Amino acid sequence: MFCKHCGKPIEDSAKFCAACGNTVVAQVVEAPKQVASDKNLKGLGGWLVLVILGLFYTVAMQAYGAYESITMFTDGTVDFISDPSSEAYIPSYSGLIKFEFIGEIIFLAAGIYLLYILFKKSRKFPKYYIVFLISAVAFVLIDYALLSSISASSEVQQIIDDTLSEQVSAITKAVIGAFIWGTYMKKSKRVKATFVEE
């Protein structure tokens, strides 16, 4: 190694520089260890595995939801429920199904795009993922508000009320998930070390 005062070469075990006499004990450098530990954090591992699994799950669920919505329109279920003469008539229900279908398509496309930029390790991913999480919270809140505005016969109203109770749980999960994973995207050293590509 070299003396940090005069630049002359000194033995690794030396405690003093033979050229200038300064002590060299304090020349221990910790920076390379930090760099090495940051390199160990780079890559799609650690908690990012849960983000990846969550995105795949989201894509699968949105695709399934979109398929179910299309089925409801094509098999006549929506027409039956939208018919005022029907015993299962629910005003504005077809509009709610259309809103949910559009949301499912948007979140399906967004999920696929996020997986694409995640595996590219694009620096856009953390920011876009946070927007995705916030949008998911906004969507479930709007969906809840629309469903709660629907009134129907007592039998059907009971089904709507049960669905609203389930949606409270979905809203809670979405808010907690957005907070946890949004914070992770902002604070994680692995995220900062991994998503560096243009």
Side-chain angles (χ1 to χ4, degrees):
M1 67 182 174
F2 296 89
C3 176
K4 69 176 181 178
H5 298 285
C6 67
K8 301 283 183 185
I10 50 175
E11 291 183 28
D12 289 345
S13 60
K15 293 187 179 179
F16 299 95
C17 175
C20 68
N22 280 305
T23 186
V24 294
V25 176
Q27 281 192 295
V28 178
V29 180
E30 292 293 329
K33 288 182 183 176
Q34 182 63 39
V35 170
S37 68
D38 284 351
K39 283 184 182 175
N40 292 338
L41 289 174
K42 189 173 184 176
L44 300 175
W47 292 106
L48 281 177
V49 171
L50 294 179
V51 174
I52 295 167
L53 292 174
L55 280 172
F56 274 115
Y57 176 78
T58 298
V59 166
M61 291 308 293
Q62 296 304 322
Y64 179 73
Y67 169 76
E68 277 200 325
S69 296
I70 290 169
T71 303
M72 288 178 75
F73 278 102
T74 56
D75 70 2
T77 302
V78 172
D79 291 337
F80 179 69
I81 292 172
S82 301
D83 182 3
S85 63
S86 165
E87 59 194 38
Y89 173 61
I90 305 174
S92 309
Y93 189 72
S94 65
L96 178 64
I97 296 296
K98 287 174 188 171
F99 171 76
E100 289 178 349
F101 175 69
I102 291 167
E104 287 156 355
I105 295 298
I106 290 169
F107 281 104
L108 173 62
I112 291 169
Y113 178 70
L114 282 171
L115 282 169
Y116 170 71
I117 62 173
L118 181 144
F119 286 112
K120 270 186 68 179
K121 298 178 184 169
S122 169
R123 66 179 58 188
K124 295 181 212 171
F125 177 78
K127 181 171 61 172
Y128 286 10
Y129 186 65
I130 291 170
V131 170
F132 179 81
L133 294 171
I134 293 168
S135 301
V137 171
F139 180 78
V140 293
L141 286 171
I142 293 168
D143 192 49
Y144 180 87
L146 291 174
L147 185 59
S148 63
S149 70
I150 294 174
S151 60
S153 65
S154 58
E155 243 177 65
V156 178
Q157 190 63 47
Q158 183 59 48
I159 295 168
I160 292 172
D161 291 342
D162 292 343
T163 305
L164 286 170
S165 297
E166 291 171 13
Q167 280 197 328
V168 169
S169 172
I171 291 168
T172 305
K173 286 177 186 173
V175 169
I176 292 170
F179 177 76
I180 290 170
W181 293 111
T183 303
Y184 175 74
M185 287 294 144
K186 294 295 262 182
K187 304 283 185 186
S188 169
K189 289 181 181 177
R190 180 178 292 277
V191 168
K192 286 180 176 64
T194 300
F195 298 105
V196 294
E197 304 297 329
E198 285 297 333

